[in-house]
Amino acid sequence: MNHLRAVPGADDTASCPTRTYGSATTVRVEAPGKINLFLSAGAPGADGYHPLTTVFQAVRLIETVTARSQSHAAHGSITLSLEKNADGVPADSSNLAVRAARLLADATGVTDGVDLTIRKRIPVAGGMAGGSADAAATLTACNVLWGTELSPDELRDLAAQLGADVPFPLMGATAVGHGRGDQLTPLMTRGRYLWVLAFAAHGGLSTPAVFRRFDELVETRASLAGAAPAEVPERMTSALRTRDARGLAATLHNDLQEAAVSLRPELAEVMAIAESAGALRAIVSGSGPTVAALVPDARVATHVARALAASGLVRDTARVDGPVAGVRMVG
Ligand code: C5P
């Protein structure tokens, strides 16, 4: 990628859609969460990563990152404030959003700092790539705030360095992921799909821990060891092309589900409750523990959300639709 150097100048902000409040300039960017409609994992490579075939759908559970320029007195620091739902999120330099701003600054030679504020809606360590959405939104916001003007391809390269799930929220909609899940190809779909999300009562699951459990489970079935990931079934892409929610339900698949359920056995009951209440199908989202229940309409969504709330097995539920767009500037 090009290593572009920002040249701060009086008219920098004139070409950028930023808002100026007194001496401060603010850029606000939203990024969506994701559900994996399909996830097949192969045996891990030398780098410890599992080769994946996955289908991401961006859903209307939206993170908001606000980036504000600093006075010179701040000496180019990157600061972070977390607005809500952020229990368990580090507010220091290990936060993926702070690492995103630092990576962009280092890649472009920017020495300005930034004050970041994140409003979280995606559950922390929930299998919906909330931290990745924050990082994607931060790259986008700082690229505007600092006038660094990296291209979408350059931003995507930086995103992939931050984590396997970071490139997808830049793109949004529906996409097939290969490699670590970060090599994306957009997938044409029609229609809008409704989901009820069940947020786990007992905190998040660590993605590496779920992949480790997946490896242990695979080892017990020697025939699958060393296997390459499966391809996306044609029945799924055709269901997505023809607004066929029932066809989509029949092909939803997540190789990590068994591992997530073995670490959190109550997830099996959560999925069963959603399906008895009328969901077309319920699956674990990514590495979990969020459960995503595909529903045929708003009435069933209400039934499913009520049944899940009454079970006492979930912290909260949300009704969302997808696909939705990737990162976008707001305000
Ligand atoms: O890339 P990211 O930091 O999000 O990945 C977190 C962890 O999840 C990795 O360190 C790895 O243990 C696991 N992972 C994997 N295979 C992938 C993606 C993630 O094993 N394709």
Side-chain angles (χ1 to χ4, degrees):
M1 66 172 289
N2 295 333
H3 286 251
L4 303 175
R5 191 162 285 272
V7 185
D11 58 1
D12 266 7
T13 52
S15 60
C16 298
T18 54
R19 276 172 89 158
T20 302
Y21 300 106
S23 61
T25 304
T26 299
V27 181
R28 182 164 294 146
V29 173
E30 292 184 345
K34 60 82 181 165
I35 293 171
N36 300 79
L37 306 179
F38 179 83
L39 192 159
S40 174
D47 60 1
Y49 275 83
H50 295 70
L52 299 183
T53 302
T54 188
V55 178
F56 294 107
Q57 183 177 86
V59 295
R60 204 179 301 277
L61 194 63
I62 304 293
E63 302 279 274
T64 309
V65 173
T66 305
R68 291 186 181 83
S69 60
Q70 293 173 326
S71 65
H72 284 302
H75 297 303
S77 60
I78 295 170
T79 72
L80 174 63
S81 316
L82 295 158
E83 267 187 10
K84 54 190 301 203
N85 306 331
D87 284 354
V89 180
D92 59 17
S93 60
S94 67
N95 186 287
L96 204 51
V98 174
R99 287 173 46 210
R102 172 58 56 212
L103 184 64
L104 177 63
D106 290 349
T108 56
V110 163
T111 54
D112 303 7
V114 61
D115 291 330
L116 300 169
T117 305
I118 304 180
R119 185 185 169 93
K120 290 202 72 65
R121 295 191 184 79
I122 301 174
V124 178
M128 293 191 66
S132 299
D134 299 342
T138 300
L139 285 175
T140 307
C142 291
N143 193 36
V144 173
L145 188 77
W146 292 334
T148 40
E149 295 183 6
L150 293 199
S151 67
D153 281 357
E154 289 170 326
L155 284 182
R156 199 192 46 223
D157 287 348
L158 291 184
Q161 292 177 40
L162 291 162
D165 282 347
V166 184
F168 177 67
L170 293 173
M171 177 187 268
T174 310
V176 178
H178 283 113
R180 296 175 170 195
D182 56 342
Q183 293 164 23
L184 300 173
T185 312
L187 191 64
M188 290 301 143
T189 71
R190 288 197 187 86
R192 200 167 65 99
Y193 299 87
L194 299 179
W195 302 89
V196 176
L197 304 174
F199 303 138
H202 305 296
L205 276 175
S206 137
T207 303
V210 174
F211 272 104
R212 272 198 303 277
R213 188 81 190 103
F214 168 78
D215 290 336
E216 287 163 12
L217 292 167
V218 166
E219 272 167 31
T220 64
R221 303 179 217 115
S223 61
L224 281 183
E231 264 318 309
V232 182
E234 158 56 25
R235 284 192 308 143
M236 174 173 277
T237 49
S238 118
L240 285 166
R241 269 197 314 271
T242 56
R243 308 169 200 263
D244 176 6
R246 277 169 208 285
L248 175 62
T251 53
L252 292 171
H253 174 79
N254 181 1
D255 263 359
L256 296 179
Q257 178 161 306
E258 188 185 359
V261 171
S262 97
L263 294 169
R264 286 285 172 80
E266 74 268 24
L267 296 181
E269 206 179 327
V270 171
M271 290 186 280
I273 290 167
E275 289 177 358
S276 323
L280 301 172
R281 184 87 188 284
I283 52 162
V284 169
S285 173
S287 55
T290 305
V291 165
L294 181 61
V295 292
D297 55 45
R299 192 183 55 83
V300 174
T302 303
H303 283 308
V304 170
R306 283 201 188 125
L308 289 168
S311 75
L313 290 172
V314 304
R315 171 174 59 77
D316 203 358
T317 61
R319 289 170 231 193
V320 299
D321 67 297
V324 297
V327 285
R328 63 180 199 110
M329 223 157 350
V330 289

